[in-house]
Structure formats: structure tokens, C-alpha cells
Amino acid sequence: MSLKHNKHWSHTHSDYSYRPQNLPLTDNFGKRSVRTFVDFRHTNMPEGLDIKGFPLLCLVNLSCVSKVKVISFLVGLVLMCLIMASYLLMWDRKGLLLSEFPHPFRPVVIMTGATTAEDSLDRSFIDVKTLVKMINSNEQNTSRKVPDEKDVINTDPHFFSVIPRHFLPHVKSPCWYEELSGDLGTDPYKNNRFSLRSKSFKNVCDHMRARFHQNVCDIDGKRFRLRCLPYFYIIGQPKCGTTDLFHRLLMLPELKFNTIKEPHWWTRKRFGYIRFKKGFQERFPIEDYLDLFDLAAINIQVGISGNSSGEHRANEIITGEASASTMWDNQAWSYLHGNEEQTEPPFLAQDFIHAVQPGAKIIIMLRDPVERLYSDYLYFTLANKSAEDFHQKVVECVQLFQSCLSERSLRSCVYNTSLFNAMPVRLTLGMYFVFVLDWLTVFQREQILVLQLEDYAANLRKTLKTVFDFLGVGPLSEQVEASLTKRPMSNTRRAKDRILGPMLPATRNLLSQFYQPFNSKLANILNKKAFLWSYS
């Protein structure tokens, strides 16, 4: 796949100051007085001053006016520098990716006027009943046309030439032998982009490099190395417990050879991106991604060669990764050649995974989408967080989505890159059923395990048993099982965020009504009422 010239995408919400031109606000959004960044009418006019008398005043004291202009300019310059500095700090801390948007944007409308804070919270200017009807009426447009496998393969011939059609039958993980060429003394990890940007993985590469020649095998006079893909993928969603589950799975004897939890390769790094401060970052080739699982491949090869220590059965070692973007992030399609007129992604990440690995196991973790969104806001917003600020951002997002639905299909709005980048909070990530339905178009139902964070937290031992059965690992020793269940929870809410308390009741009510039709469809396709997240 080739990228549009000088166009790369943003993975997070680093810039909330823009909104799509083709997504106008709802009519009732403008019931209060508004001013845009490009509205400079009378912005420097002193309040209450007679306009006709203003020139005469200037003639009386030109020096005063000059000083006022100079001071105003300097104050504005200082404020602009402070704002830019704050954004720079946010980008550096979050590692946000800067990109040029694929569609034109317009300046954000700034709400002003004499309304009180309480007034602005109570008046959302959203007809929720009408919005829910719009969502339900789009149900027939949620199915997708699965692309032909030949079309998927033609998007990246090199990628599909590296991975064979069949894997070793006696090894649980999807592994195969890759022929080596050149001098064995050459560093196989020298140019790996993951190692260049991750100190922990660089250390792993240093360890594997020292043992590399020992694990090269000769077959019919040719030299080969063992390569592996992930046996399972924890694909989403963010703030739903994926980090905690992955770290617990790493305690299993069969799984302790994984190195990076979230490579984000299928959805992001294989396309290329721009990272602030470091400039353009080239694509991460498939070879770099496969290197992430070499530690497991080396240990599997040791077992195949008969040199296993007996600590574990090498052919039972499994690999996996937990990129929470794999389920939903398909923004790359907006930047590919030939997609300018497309309203929905022609290819999704699951199309590529299924094409090379039709037997992959998929784990999805979900939680109440209302709570997920608030947790996501608290985690990714670095400054000026409050329940009131969250409420205003939610209102803006719902309005933007409603405007999109008035012109486009539901799937088109869910996957719309411009809309996603314009939203100040990630509202669309809670529309679970759209994403789950799309994964079910290529993978069989028995290959996908959908978990609830609420069940995971309430009965950890039972949920882990479900995961172990799904992955075919165990039985576990009492010691390992005790360690798994006693391990403290990972990635919990920060203390400074807990002080902010819960979201406002008005926000919860709005989001509950908004997500209800999505939850209903999810519960229907999974045949489990618990996914209704019935709100009291």
C-alpha cells in the first residue's frame, strides 16, 4: 500500500481545534452567541465606546493609542507562545503523532454569551430521541462487503511473500522456517525499528543476537531460522483491562517470551507516520514485526532440536500481542491512493490478519461504554480536566456525530477519519457492535472471545479460566494460579484523577441514551444480555 504524498495520520487527539467542513453543526447548536477564530469584527474596540468619537480620541492622544497597540501585540504574542508551549509539552509526553488531515477543516466555534455554567450543562441542544432513531434507521447499513482475498494480497505483495500459506503442524504457534542468505556474522537486528525506539526491546535483541547462530538449522544444505506470528491477538478496546490481562498472561510458562505488548503494527506502523521532534518515521516492514516474536521462536527451536531444559514443552509455547488499536483503528485507508472517493474503508486490519492467519484467536475486552469514555478522557487529557469539561466535550462529540449521520451511513461515520480527529473525546470507540460485527465478517464466532471488564474485576479467577480454555493452556499449578490472581491490577486510574470524582449525572444520562442502541445490537449479535449494560 502506498501513502498519499506528505499525508500521514494522527493516532490520538492532539489537536481539538478543528472540525470537518462537511459535518455542519446541528441547527440548534448555535442558540447561544458564537464567535469563530476568524471573526475579528470589533475585537479591538473598547466596550461601550462611541464609534464616531473614536477617531477624535485617537487624534488627541496618538502616542497612547500606539502604546496600547504595542502592549496588545506583546500580550497576544506571549499568550500564543504559552499556548504553543503547552501543546508541545502534551505532544512530547503522550508521544502523539502529527499528521496532515485528509479533508479540509474549519475553525472551531467558540461558545460565548451570558449563559451561566449551570445553564450550559443542562442545555445540551440535542434531541436524543431523534438521534437514537437515526442510529436505528442506519442498522441496515452496518454490514460490509468483504474484499476478495486476491485484492487484499495485491495491496502489499512483499508482505504476503514473507509469510507462507501453511505453518509447522507440530508447533502450536504459527511458525515456519525462513531461509537465510548472506553472512551469519551479519547483525540480524541492526536496523530493526522497534529496537531503535525501545530500550527494552533493544536489550532483548542484544540477548538474541548473541545466540542467533546457535539456532540456525541446516536443511538440505541450506540455512534456516524459525519465524512465528502471534498465536492470539488482544485487539481492544482501550481502557477496558487489556493491559492487566496481558501482564497476567505473561506469567504463564507457555507465554513468557513476548517482548512488547502494543506494537500497533497492523493498524499503524506498517504504513509509516510522523512523530513530533523526530520527523518522518518510515514504515516498519513485516520483518521488524516478526522479530518481536523471535525470543519465542528461539525457545521453540531449542525444543525442536531436542535441547529443551524440560521447564516447558517447546511446541506448546504460544505468542501473542495486545495492541488495543487493532480492533478499531483503520484510519490509514483515508490516506491511500485511490481512496479519495471512498466513504468507508475498503480494507480493514482483520482482512490482512485473516489472509495470512485464518486460524488466529482473537480476544476482545469491553466495558460499559459510558465509563470507558470517561476513563479514556481522564487518562489521555493532561491538563484542565473536570467533570464539566468532559460534559462539554461529550456534547460537542454527539452533535458532530449526529451531523454526520444526517449525511452518511453509520459505518461511514464510525470510520470517518476527519470526524474522529475533530472529536475532543473518542466517542466512536464505544460503538462496539460495529467493530465486533466487522471482525465476525472474516473470523468464525468460535475464534473470537469477547470479555467484559465488569466480569473480569468481579470474578478474576473464573474469567482467567475462560481465557485459558480459549487459548488451550493449562492446567496451571497452584503456585502459578495463585500468583496470577494475587497480582495487583495494572493501569488503574491515577490518584489525581480519582480526586475529580465521577462524571456529571447529565453527562451519564446523555451517554447512556446515546450508547443504548449500540449496546442493544451488541447484545443481540453476541446473544448475551449483559452487554446491554442496563442503566439505572
Side-chain angles (χ1 to χ4, degrees), residues 292-327:
L292 298 179
F293 311 101
D294 268 9
L295 190 58
I298 288 173
N299 283 273
I300 293 172
Q301 178 58 40
V302 168
I304 293 175
S305 303
N307 300 322
S308 178
S309 63
E311 181 184 352
H312 53 267
R313 295 174 58 192
N315 63 341
E316 291 296 320
I317 292 175
I318 60 175
T319 52
E321 60 127 298
S323 300
S325 65
T326 308
M327 178 175 173

mmCIF file of all heavy atoms in Angstrom, residues 292-327:
data_model
loop_
_atom_site.group_PDB
_atom_site.id
_atom_site.type_symbol
_atom_site.label_atom_id
_atom_site.label_comp_id
_atom_site.label_asym_id
_atom_site.label_seq_id
_atom_site.Cartn_x
_atom_site.Cartn_y
_atom_site.Cartn_z
ATOM 1 N N LEU A 292 9.786 -9.341 16.812
ATOM 2 C CA LEU A 292 9.217 -9.235 18.156
ATOM 3 C C LEU A 292 8.940 -10.602 18.767
ATOM 4 O O LEU A 292 8.873 -10.742 19.993
ATOM 5 C CB LEU A 292 7.921 -8.421 18.125
ATOM 6 C CG LEU A 292 8.010 -6.967 17.663
ATOM 7 C CD1 LEU A 292 6.627 -6.329 17.674
ATOM 8 C CD2 LEU A 292 8.967 -6.169 18.534
ATOM 9 N N PHE A 293 8.788 -11.618 17.928
ATOM 10 C CA PHE A 293 8.443 -12.956 18.408
ATOM 11 C C PHE A 293 9.595 -13.946 18.237
ATOM 12 O O PHE A 293 9.398 -15.145 18.353
ATOM 13 C CB PHE A 293 7.182 -13.441 17.679
ATOM 14 C CG PHE A 293 6.081 -12.420 17.680
ATOM 15 C CD1 PHE A 293 5.837 -11.630 16.575
ATOM 16 C CD2 PHE A 293 5.319 -12.208 18.826
ATOM 17 C CE1 PHE A 293 4.847 -10.661 16.589
ATOM 18 C CE2 PHE A 293 4.332 -11.240 18.851
ATOM 19 C CZ PHE A 293 4.091 -10.467 17.728
ATOM 20 N N ASP A 294 10.789 -13.401 17.993
ATOM 21 C CA ASP A 294 11.960 -14.266 17.826
ATOM 22 C C ASP A 294 12.378 -14.950 19.112
ATOM 23 O O ASP A 294 12.923 -16.062 19.080
ATOM 24 C CB ASP A 294 13.139 -13.461 17.264
ATOM 25 C CG ASP A 294 13.192 -13.516 15.740
ATOM 26 O OD1 ASP A 294 12.226 -14.025 15.137
ATOM 27 O OD2 ASP A 294 14.188 -13.052 15.161
ATOM 28 N N LEU A 295 12.157 -14.293 20.253
ATOM 29 C CA LEU A 295 12.534 -14.918 21.519
ATOM 30 C C LEU A 295 11.742 -16.199 21.728
ATOM 31 O O LEU A 295 12.284 -17.219 22.175
ATOM 32 C CB LEU A 295 12.311 -13.952 22.684
ATOM 33 C CG LEU A 295 12.879 -14.374 24.036
ATOM 34 C CD1 LEU A 295 14.379 -14.606 23.954
ATOM 35 C CD2 LEU A 295 12.565 -13.338 25.110
ATOM 36 N N ALA A 296 10.455 -16.165 21.403
ATOM 37 C CA ALA A 296 9.648 -17.382 21.468
ATOM 38 C C ALA A 296 10.109 -18.379 20.415
ATOM 39 O O ALA A 296 10.207 -19.592 20.688
ATOM 40 C CB ALA A 296 8.172 -17.034 21.258
ATOM 41 N N ALA A 297 10.425 -17.897 19.205
ATOM 42 C CA ALA A 297 10.864 -18.793 18.136
ATOM 43 C C ALA A 297 12.162 -19.495 18.510
ATOM 44 O O ALA A 297 12.335 -20.692 18.228
ATOM 45 C CB ALA A 297 11.047 -18.001 16.846
ATOM 46 N N ILE A 298 13.079 -18.782 19.150
ATOM 47 C CA ILE A 298 14.348 -19.385 19.566
ATOM 48 C C ILE A 298 14.103 -20.505 20.568
ATOM 49 O O ILE A 298 14.697 -21.589 20.472
ATOM 50 C CB ILE A 298 15.277 -18.306 20.154
ATOM 51 C CG1 ILE A 298 15.800 -17.397 19.037
ATOM 52 C CG2 ILE A 298 16.446 -18.943 20.910
ATOM 53 C CD1 ILE A 298 16.582 -16.199 19.537
ATOM 54 N N ASN A 299 13.207 -20.269 21.517
ATOM 55 C CA ASN A 299 12.921 -21.300 22.521
ATOM 56 C C ASN A 299 12.166 -22.479 21.915
ATOM 57 O O ASN A 299 12.344 -23.619 22.341
ATOM 58 C CB ASN A 299 12.134 -20.681 23.675
ATOM 59 C CG ASN A 299 13.013 -19.875 24.618
ATOM 60 O OD1 ASN A 299 13.585 -20.405 25.556
ATOM 61 N ND2 ASN A 299 13.121 -18.581 24.356
ATOM 62 N N ILE A 300 11.319 -22.219 20.932
ATOM 63 C CA ILE A 300 10.648 -23.312 20.225
ATOM 64 C C ILE A 300 11.670 -24.136 19.448
ATOM 65 O O ILE A 300 11.628 -25.378 19.454
ATOM 66 C CB ILE A 300 9.558 -22.752 19.283
ATOM 67 C CG1 ILE A 300 8.424 -22.126 20.091
ATOM 68 C CG2 ILE A 300 8.995 -23.861 18.396
ATOM 69 C CD1 ILE A 300 7.394 -21.388 19.254
ATOM 70 N N GLN A 301 12.608 -23.458 18.799
ATOM 71 C CA GLN A 301 13.637 -24.156 18.037
ATOM 72 C C GLN A 301 14.515 -25.016 18.939
ATOM 73 O O GLN A 301 14.925 -26.125 18.565
ATOM 74 C CB GLN A 301 14.502 -23.144 17.271
ATOM 75 C CG GLN A 301 15.634 -23.753 16.471
ATOM 76 C CD GLN A 301 15.155 -24.751 15.448
ATOM 77 O OE1 GLN A 301 14.128 -24.526 14.805
ATOM 78 N NE2 GLN A 301 15.867 -25.855 15.284
ATOM 79 N N VAL A 302 14.798 -24.527 20.148
ATOM 80 C CA VAL A 302 15.571 -25.320 21.112
ATOM 81 C C VAL A 302 14.851 -26.635 21.400
ATOM 82 O O VAL A 302 15.469 -27.709 21.463
ATOM 83 C CB VAL A 302 15.801 -24.522 22.413
ATOM 84 C CG1 VAL A 302 16.329 -25.427 23.521
ATOM 85 C CG2 VAL A 302 16.769 -23.376 22.167
ATOM 86 N N GLY A 303 13.535 -26.562 21.578
ATOM 87 C CA GLY A 303 12.756 -27.774 21.835
ATOM 88 C C GLY A 303 12.726 -28.699 20.637
ATOM 89 O O GLY A 303 12.829 -29.924 20.773
ATOM 90 N N ILE A 304 12.601 -28.122 19.444
ATOM 91 C CA ILE A 304 12.579 -28.943 18.234
ATOM 92 C C ILE A 304 13.913 -29.668 18.057
ATOM 93 O O ILE A 304 13.967 -30.824 17.617
ATOM 94 C CB ILE A 304 12.277 -28.066 17.001
ATOM 95 C CG1 ILE A 304 10.841 -27.518 17.079
ATOM 96 C CG2 ILE A 304 12.469 -28.850 15.712
ATOM 97 C CD1 ILE A 304 10.499 -26.548 15.980
ATOM 98 N N SER A 305 15.002 -29.003 18.438
ATOM 99 C CA SER A 305 16.342 -29.589 18.296
ATOM 100 C C SER A 305 16.657 -30.609 19.380
ATOM 101 O O SER A 305 17.721 -31.222 19.355
ATOM 102 C CB SER A 305 17.397 -28.477 18.322
ATOM 103 O OG SER A 305 17.147 -27.530 17.302
ATOM 104 N N GLY A 306 15.739 -30.745 20.362
ATOM 105 C CA GLY A 306 15.957 -31.702 21.436
ATOM 106 C C GLY A 306 16.829 -31.193 22.544
ATOM 107 O O GLY A 306 17.348 -31.971 23.352
ATOM 108 N N ASN A 307 16.995 -29.851 22.634
ATOM 109 C CA ASN A 307 17.849 -29.274 23.667
ATOM 110 C C ASN A 307 17.056 -28.580 24.761
ATOM 111 O O ASN A 307 17.578 -27.759 25.497
ATOM 112 C CB ASN A 307 18.821 -28.268 23.032
ATOM 113 C CG ASN A 307 19.712 -28.918 21.998
ATOM 114 O OD1 ASN A 307 20.148 -30.045 22.180
ATOM 115 N ND2 ASN A 307 19.969 -28.200 20.903
ATOM 116 N N SER A 308 15.774 -28.882 24.853
ATOM 117 C CA SER A 308 14.928 -28.218 25.842
ATOM 118 C C SER A 308 15.317 -28.626 27.249
ATOM 119 O O SER A 308 15.688 -29.766 27.517
ATOM 120 C CB SER A 308 13.455 -28.563 25.598
ATOM 121 O OG SER A 308 12.641 -27.960 26.570
ATOM 122 N N SER A 309 15.239 -27.674 28.173
ATOM 123 C CA SER A 309 15.609 -27.926 29.570
ATOM 124 C C SER A 309 14.538 -28.708 30.308
ATOM 125 O O SER A 309 14.747 -29.121 31.433
ATOM 126 C CB SER A 309 15.857 -26.596 30.291
ATOM 127 O OG SER A 309 14.664 -25.819 30.317
ATOM 128 N N GLY A 310 13.376 -28.865 29.709
ATOM 129 C CA GLY A 310 12.292 -29.578 30.375
ATOM 130 C C GLY A 310 11.393 -28.674 31.193
ATOM 131 O O GLY A 310 10.399 -29.101 31.749
ATOM 132 N N GLU A 311 11.736 -27.375 31.248
ATOM 133 C CA GLU A 311 10.920 -26.427 32.005
ATOM 134 C C GLU A 311 9.547 -26.276 31.365
ATOM 135 O O GLU A 311 8.555 -26.042 32.034
ATOM 136 C CB GLU A 311 11.635 -25.078 32.064
ATOM 137 C CG GLU A 311 10.881 -24.015 32.850
ATOM 138 C CD GLU A 311 11.578 -22.671 32.804
ATOM 139 O OE1 GLU A 311 12.709 -22.599 32.299
ATOM 140 O OE2 GLU A 311 10.976 -21.702 33.292
ATOM 141 N N HIS A 312 9.465 -26.416 30.077
ATOM 142 C CA HIS A 312 8.213 -26.322 29.356
ATOM 143 C C HIS A 312 8.328 -27.116 28.060
ATOM 144 O O HIS A 312 9.430 -27.402 27.591
ATOM 145 C CB HIS A 312 7.888 -24.857 29.044
ATOM 146 C CG HIS A 312 9.027 -24.170 28.344
ATOM 147 N ND1 HIS A 312 9.985 -23.464 29.033
ATOM 148 C CD2 HIS A 312 9.380 -24.123 27.040
ATOM 149 C CE1 HIS A 312 10.886 -23.006 28.178
ATOM 150 N NE2 HIS A 312 10.539 -23.382 26.963
ATOM 151 N N ARG A 313 7.214 -27.466 27.504
ATOM 152 C CA ARG A 313 7.219 -28.139 26.206
ATOM 153 C C ARG A 313 7.307 -27.069 25.131
ATOM 154 O O ARG A 313 6.405 -26.247 24.976
ATOM 155 C CB ARG A 313 5.957 -28.964 26.051
ATOM 156 C CG ARG A 313 5.851 -30.116 27.047
ATOM 157 C CD ARG A 313 4.512 -30.803 26.924
ATOM 158 N NE ARG A 313 4.292 -31.311 25.560
ATOM 159 C CZ ARG A 313 3.126 -31.752 25.117
ATOM 160 N NH1 ARG A 313 2.056 -31.708 25.915
ATOM 161 N NH2 ARG A 313 3.007 -32.222 23.889
ATOM 162 N N ALA A 314 8.400 -27.082 24.384
ATOM 163 C CA ALA A 314 8.662 -26.013 23.424
ATOM 164 C C ALA A 314 7.564 -25.899 22.384
ATOM 165 O O ALA A 314 7.206 -24.787 21.970
ATOM 166 C CB ALA A 314 10.008 -26.247 22.747
ATOM 167 N N ASN A 315 7.008 -27.022 21.960
ATOM 168 C CA ASN A 315 5.988 -26.942 20.914
ATOM 169 C C ASN A 315 4.658 -26.393 21.429
ATOM 170 O O ASN A 315 3.746 -26.143 20.653
ATOM 171 C CB ASN A 315 5.782 -28.309 20.261
ATOM 172 C CG ASN A 315 5.265 -29.348 21.241
ATOM 173 O OD1 ASN A 315 5.393 -29.166 22.449
ATOM 174 N ND2 ASN A 315 4.707 -30.426 20.721
ATOM 175 N N GLU A 316 4.552 -26.195 22.774
ATOM 176 C CA GLU A 316 3.337 -25.626 23.351
ATOM 177 C C GLU A 316 3.476 -24.132 23.622
ATOM 178 O O GLU A 316 2.532 -23.489 24.094
ATOM 179 C CB GLU A 316 2.991 -26.354 24.663
ATOM 180 C CG GLU A 316 2.546 -27.791 24.463
ATOM 181 C CD GLU A 316 1.255 -27.885 23.677
ATOM 182 O OE1 GLU A 316 0.348 -27.061 23.912
ATOM 183 O OE2 GLU A 316 1.153 -28.770 22.807
ATOM 184 N N ILE A 317 4.652 -23.565 23.365
ATOM 185 C CA ILE A 317 4.845 -22.128 23.572
ATOM 186 C C ILE A 317 3.927 -21.347 22.626
ATOM 187 O O ILE A 317 3.821 -21.663 21.440
ATOM 188 C CB ILE A 317 6.321 -21.732 23.312
ATOM 189 C CG1 ILE A 317 7.226 -22.329 24.395
ATOM 190 C CG2 ILE A 317 6.483 -20.217 23.271
ATOM 191 C CD1 ILE A 317 8.699 -22.089 24.152
ATOM 192 N N ILE A 318 3.266 -20.344 23.168
ATOM 193 C CA ILE A 318 2.389 -19.524 22.331
ATOM 194 C C ILE A 318 2.861 -18.069 22.372
ATOM 195 O O ILE A 318 3.452 -17.609 23.341
ATOM 196 C CB ILE A 318 0.909 -19.613 22.768
ATOM 197 C CG1 ILE A 318 0.731 -19.135 24.210
ATOM 198 C CG2 ILE A 318 0.374 -21.012 22.582
ATOM 199 C CD1 ILE A 318 -0.717 -19.076 24.647
ATOM 200 N N THR A 319 2.591 -17.389 21.297
ATOM 201 C CA THR A 319 2.942 -15.981 21.171
ATOM 202 C C THR A 319 1.661 -15.170 21.106
ATOM 203 O O THR A 319 0.591 -15.677 20.762
ATOM 204 C CB THR A 319 3.761 -15.753 19.888
ATOM 205 O OG1 THR A 319 3.044 -16.323 18.787
ATOM 206 C CG2 THR A 319 5.120 -16.415 19.992
ATOM 207 N N GLY A 320 1.774 -13.895 21.405
ATOM 208 C CA GLY A 320 0.592 -13.040 21.357
ATOM 209 C C GLY A 320 0.979 -11.587 21.489
ATOM 210 O O GLY A 320 2.110 -11.251 21.847
ATOM 211 N N GLU A 321 0.040 -10.731 21.195
ATOM 212 C CA GLU A 321 0.244 -9.296 21.394
ATOM 213 C C GLU A 321 -1.091 -8.657 21.750
ATOM 214 O O GLU A 321 -2.153 -9.246 21.552
ATOM 215 C CB GLU A 321 0.874 -8.651 20.166
ATOM 216 C CG GLU A 321 0.074 -8.771 18.876
ATOM 217 C CD GLU A 321 -0.158 -7.422 18.218
ATOM 218 O OE1 GLU A 321 -0.818 -6.576 18.861
ATOM 219 O OE2 GLU A 321 0.288 -7.245 17.074
ATOM 220 N N ALA A 322 -1.016 -7.430 22.284
ATOM 221 C CA ALA A 322 -2.226 -6.785 22.801
ATOM 222 C C ALA A 322 -2.285 -5.322 22.398
ATOM 223 O O ALA A 322 -2.293 -4.424 23.240
ATOM 224 C CB ALA A 322 -2.298 -6.927 24.320
ATOM 225 N N SER A 323 -2.330 -5.055 21.106
ATOM 226 C CA SER A 323 -2.483 -3.690 20.607
ATOM 227 C C SER A 323 -3.964 -3.328 20.620
ATOM 228 O O SER A 323 -4.746 -3.861 19.832
ATOM 229 C CB SER A 323 -1.924 -3.559 19.193
ATOM 230 O OG SER A 323 -0.553 -3.876 19.154
ATOM 231 N N ALA A 324 -4.332 -2.418 21.505
ATOM 232 C CA ALA A 324 -5.748 -2.074 21.652
ATOM 233 C C ALA A 324 -6.286 -1.260 20.482
ATOM 234 O O ALA A 324 -7.459 -0.899 20.469
ATOM 235 C CB ALA A 324 -5.961 -1.303 22.955
ATOM 236 N N SER A 325 -5.440 -0.965 19.494
ATOM 237 C CA SER A 325 -5.894 -0.248 18.303
ATOM 238 C C SER A 325 -6.333 -1.188 17.189
ATOM 239 O O SER A 325 -6.971 -0.755 16.224
ATOM 240 C CB SER A 325 -4.769 0.649 17.772
ATOM 241 O OG SER A 325 -3.680 -0.138 17.314
ATOM 242 N N THR A 326 -5.992 -2.468 17.304
ATOM 243 C CA THR A 326 -6.226 -3.393 16.188
ATOM 244 C C THR A 326 -7.709 -3.531 15.878
ATOM 245 O O THR A 326 -8.096 -3.714 14.725
ATOM 246 C CB THR A 326 -5.627 -4.772 16.519
ATOM 247 O OG1 THR A 326 -4.260 -4.618 16.911
ATOM 248 C CG2 THR A 326 -5.686 -5.694 15.317
ATOM 249 N N MET A 327 -8.550 -3.424 16.877
ATOM 250 C CA MET A 327 -9.992 -3.632 16.677
ATOM 251 C C MET A 327 -10.636 -2.492 15.888
ATOM 252 O O MET A 327 -11.514 -2.744 15.044
ATOM 253 C CB MET A 327 -10.683 -3.769 18.030
ATOM 254 C CG MET A 327 -12.185 -3.952 17.954
ATOM 255 S SD MET A 327 -12.896 -4.260 19.588
ATOM 256 C CE MET A 327 -14.640 -4.209 19.225
#
